């Protein structure tokens, strides 16, 4: 199964770099330049994971995350915030809103890849446990 990742960032240089690196790891990559278009794209493709910037026009990363967490079809999608903000208040707010991970730019690609792998693994495990509980 191909893992679909949605990248949401208004900085196209960041999008292009991440697309190239993640495509080499055999992920299927989709992108959007802001949170609103990211939400529409997520509804369309049902990604396995979302990586979003925090500071964006239209819907910022928090607003985008809030929309994802209140949508029945996307609520359990792993969500990684990737931002230049390193302060604890922003990080804590992200986790309160339901982010699965908070990474700061510039991010080491190996750290990003490990985080993606861990989030996808957790999601698969949740599905397996849920499926097994349905059998009881």
């Amino acid at each position: 199964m191909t893992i679909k990742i949605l990248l949401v960032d208004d900085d196209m240089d960041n999008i292009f770099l991440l697309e190239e690196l993640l495509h080499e790891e055999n992920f299927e990559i989709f992108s959007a330049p802001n949170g609103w278009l990211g939400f529409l794209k997520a509804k369309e493709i049902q990604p396995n994971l979302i990586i979003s910037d925090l500071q964006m026009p239209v819907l910022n990363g928090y607003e985008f995350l809030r929309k994802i967490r209140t949508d029945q079809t996307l609520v359990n999608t792993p969500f990684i915030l990737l931002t230049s903000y390193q302060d604890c208040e922003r990080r804590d707010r992200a986790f309160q809103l339901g982010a699965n991970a908070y990474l700061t730019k510039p991010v080491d690609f190996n750290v990003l890849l490990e985080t993606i792998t861990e989030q996808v693994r957790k999601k698969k495990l949740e599905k397996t446990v849920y499926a097994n509980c349905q059998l009881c």
Side-chain angles (χ1 to χ4, degrees), residues 84-109:
S84 58
Y85 294 112
Q86 298 183 15
D87 58 281
C88 294
E89 293 91 21
R90 284 187 176 93
R91 186 193 67 226
D92 291 347
R93 182 170 180 215
F95 286 123
Q96 288 170 356
L97 291 171
N100 299 88
Y102 187 97
L103 301 175
T104 55
K105 298 174 188 176
V107 67
D108 179 289
F109 183 67

Side-chain angles (χ1 to χ4, degrees), residues 14 17-18 21-22 25 51 80-83 86 102-117:
N14 286 340
L17 176 63
L18 287 174
L21 293 170
L22 293 171
E25 298 294 327
I51 300 173
I80 299 171
L81 272 168
L82 180 59
T83 179
Q86 298 183 15
Y102 187 97
L103 301 175
T104 55
K105 298 174 188 176
V107 67
D108 179 289
F109 183 67
N110 290 323
V111 171
L112 178 60
L113 196 54
E114 287 172 16
T115 304
I116 291 169
T117 302

Side-chain angles (χ1 to χ4, degrees), residues 5-12 15 30-47 50-53 56-61 63-65 67-68 74 79:
I5 296 177
L6 174 60
L7 304 174
V8 183
D9 195 327
D10 61 326
D11 183 334
M12 292 315 291
I15 292 282
F30 301 86
S31 64
N34 63 58
W36 177 248
L37 293 176
F39 179 70
L40 296 177
K41 181 62 82 171
K43 293 285 287 180
E44 175 189 337
I45 67 167
Q46 296 293 305
I50 297 169
I51 300 173
S52 176
D53 189 21
M56 298 180 292
V58 188
L59 284 182
N60 67 35
E63 295 162 334
F64 175 43
L65 174 56
K67 283 200 73 64
I68 294 296
L74 299 168
F79 195 106

